[in-house]
Amino acid sequence: MLCAMYFAQGLPWGFMVTALVAFLTDEHGINETEAGRLTAVVLWPWTFKLVWAPLIDTVTIRSMGRRRPWIIGAELLMAVSLLGILAMGDLSNNLSLLAWMFFIHNCFASLQDVSTDALAIDILPANEQGLVNGLMWGTKLVGKAIGAFGMAYVIYEWGLSAAVLVQFISLLIIMLFPLLCVERPGDRRLPWTRPIEPESAEDVLPQNRSTLRSPWVVLRDLVRGFSLKTTFFLLLYGVMHVIGWGIVEVVYKTLYTQQLGWTYVDISRFAFYAMFTEMAGAILGGVMADRVGRRIVMVAGFGTYGLLAFVFGACPHLWHSDWFSASYLILNPGALAFGAVGFLSMGMRISWTKSSASMFTIYMTLSNVGHVIGNEIVGPLRTEYGFSFEHTFWWAALSMIAPLFLLFLVRPETVDAMRDQEALEQKAAEP
């Protein structure tokens, strides 16, 4: 179910950020500034996770589980928002309205993401977080690849509205996963159905049966959680480390379609091929995070992504060679996925208070902020400061590599010590 929810996030993401933007740069000739703004508007709702996390930590329909009601509701609203886009017809000539409609859709997608991550934190033991994060990220990449290449093909054959319709039907089918599953034994699939009884005593997981928690308690937990140097430095790294990703995500589309003669279908096809390197990077990164450490995985993955951007920017004489440009599109997503799984796993690892879902969401949200910053600054770098394509890729490389030094200040063992200390204090306070 966790993997199905990540697939549901990846499908519209690949469509909006890759297929749609490449289609508009190719067929409608939008420039870097317009492409960057459109991508940023799509991604801005993911910063709202700062609002969603405390809300789902405090309110729920407890008979259905703490997180599952939010997942079902968000998935339903994602489908309904696509239905609204369908009702307006082909919006490819109205960029402003198109952007706002996808903005609304991604508000609900970000809510679903927070709810899914919260459920994963609640039910996954620490020694499974790396592998399961790899599998979740991998299925999201499958969704992105299908959204990029599959939806580009649908646009080419039947138009933009048909691509939206396919996604609407897909989300309705995916919604069956949280509807049919239960979060824990004793929960109900729907409020009016009978509880699902556990098969044995071992099947019953520890849980808090209360429906509401005070928002002030959640806020107190967050202040305490980020008071440690380890959690603060990962927070800072979360903002900085994806700026380079945001830059590359925008600039390569205009370079390939307007300078190298690629079509949006070409770009989307290689985004689909890159799914295999991304899948390998995500799953391998998850396994390695559990075995050799999350920090090593992050340095290796994000460092390689930055190095690839530097090498690509240093070799403009090879850009018109299809093997070179195609290799870059295929290899760099694998490196990114490898590092991203390490970051996700590290975020879960050091989210240590009772409001751990909100802590983890703050890490992810600030990463989205850094991502949007990268999208937004491409236009000024290229137009106001006169950066060439080569210099823009070098800037992206520096933005990925420089923050890696902050990771040496992230020490999960300090979080373990604080968690153990609080457990001892609570035990001593018991009568």
Side-chain angles (χ1 to χ4, degrees):
M1 198 272 278
L2 294 173
C3 290
M5 294 303 98
Y6 262 61
F7 178 88
Q9 296 169 32
L11 182 65
W13 185 292
F15 166 67
M16 296 174 195
V17 176
T18 300
L20 178 63
V21 175
F23 165 71
L24 293 174
T25 58
D26 183 19
E27 296 290 323
H28 295 263
I30 66 173
N31 57 32
E32 288 97 342
T33 300
E34 292 171 319
R37 286 175 180 170
L38 180 60
T39 304
V41 167
V42 170
L43 297 179
W44 266 120
W46 293 82
T47 64
F48 296 171
K49 294 197 292 185
L50 286 173
V51 176
W52 301 137
L55 182 61
I56 68 172
D57 266 342
T58 56
V59 180
T60 188
I61 304 174
R62 190 61 196 89
S63 63
M64 295 174 60
R66 295 198 63 82
R67 315 301 186 183
R68 188 168 150 268
W70 287 103
I71 294 174
I72 294 171
E75 190 75 10
L76 178 62
L77 291 171
M78 287 170 66
V80 170
S81 65
L82 289 178
L83 193 62
I85 296 172
L86 277 175
M88 296 185 179
D90 190 339
L91 297 177
S92 56
N93 291 314
N94 190 339
L95 290 184
S96 178
L97 182 57
L98 180 66
W100 280 110
M101 292 304 296
F102 282 128
F103 175 89
I104 294 171
H105 173 84
N106 277 278
C107 287
F108 303 130
S110 67
L111 173 59
Q112 191 242 61
D113 179 62
V114 173
S115 307
T116 304
D117 289 340
L119 178 60
I121 292 171
D122 283 355
I123 67 175
L124 291 177
N127 63 346
E128 294 181 10
Q129 288 175 349
L131 176 59
V132 177
N133 268 292
L135 294 172
M136 290 163 62
W137 186 265
T139 49
K140 181 177 181 177
L141 297 175
V142 173
K144 286 176 63 178
I146 294 174
F149 177 59
M151 294 304 103
Y153 181 79
V154 173
I155 293 173
Y156 180 78
E157 292 290 342
W158 298 288
L160 181 60
S161 296
V164 177
L165 177 61
V166 170
Q167 293 173 81
F168 169 73
I169 296 172
S170 300
L171 291 183
L172 289 181
I173 295 172
I174 294 169
M175 194 168 63
L176 293 174
F177 282 87
L179 279 174
L180 296 177
C181 293
V182 292
E183 192 170 318
R184 294 178 172 89
D187 290 345
R188 304 171 187 264
R189 286 195 173 91
L190 294 170
W192 54 85
T193 60
R194 297 179 62 181
I196 305 300
E197 298 298 331
E199 295 181 3
S200 65
E202 290 77 12
D203 291 335
V204 180
L205 300 177
Q207 55 183 307
N208 181 355
R209 300 299 302 184
S210 62
T211 299
L212 298 173
R213 291 183 71 216
S214 169
W216 299 112
V217 173
V218 175
L219 180 61
R220 184 194 64 194
D221 286 347
L222 292 176
V223 172
R224 187 171 74 255
F226 289 112
S227 65
L228 303 180
K229 291 182 179 179
T230 287
T231 52
F232 174 77
F233 282 122
L234 186 67
L235 193 70
L236 183 60
Y237 177 78
V239 179
M240 299 174 64
H241 81 287
V242 289
I243 292 177
W245 177 14
I247 293 173
V248 170
E249 185 177 56
V250 173
V251 74
Y252 88 84
K253 296 185 182 76
T254 53
L255 171 64
Y256 278 58
T257 59
Q258 297 177 6
Q259 300 294 323
L260 304 184
W262 289 45
T263 67
Y264 71 94
V265 176
D266 294 330
I267 291 177
S268 297
R269 182 172 67 252
F270 279 96
F272 178 79
Y273 297 156
M275 173 189 70
F276 299 102
T277 58
E278 287 183 291
M279 283 285 290
I283 295 174
L284 181 61
V287 173
M288 296 299 290
D290 287 336
R291 295 188 177 183
V292 304
R294 298 159 174 83
R295 181 165 44 219
I296 294 175
V297 168
M298 293 164 69
V299 171
F302 293 130
T304 301
Y305 186 90
L307 183 61
L308 286 171
F310 178 81
V311 171
F312 185 81
C315 301
H317 57 288
L318 294 176
W319 289 352
H320 285 280
S321 300
D322 288 346
W323 70 268
F324 183 77
S325 295
S327 297
Y328 180 67
L329 291 185
I330 292 173
L331 292 176
N332 78 329
L336 183 66
F338 189 87
V341 169
F343 180 72
L344 289 168
S345 183
M346 180 67 84
M348 286 189 179
R349 172 74 171 77
I350 65 175
S351 296
W352 63 280
T353 68
K354 290 182 180 179
S355 300
S356 56
S358 294
M359 281 193 69
F360 181 75
T361 296
I362 289 174
Y363 288 127
M364 299 302 105
T365 302
L366 292 182
S367 293
N368 291 325
V369 171
H371 193 163
V372 171
I373 290 172
N375 294 154
E376 291 279 11
I377 67 175
V378 173
L381 287 177
R382 294 275 295 129
T383 58
E384 296 179 21
Y385 296 100
F387 275 39
S388 64
F389 281 111
E390 297 96 310
H391 292 156
T392 305
F393 277 99
W394 289 349
W395 186 258
L398 179 64
S399 300
M400 293 295 291
I401 294 173
L404 290 174
F405 295 99
L406 289 172
L407 293 178
F408 295 98
L409 302 172
V410 177
R411 302 184 179 279
E413 59 271 16
T414 62
V415 173
D416 293 338
M418 181 63 72
R419 185 186 286 114
D420 293 342
Q421 179 183 338
E422 287 207 347
L424 291 173
E425 291 174 354
Q426 290 176 2
K427 187 175 181 178
E430 293 177 358

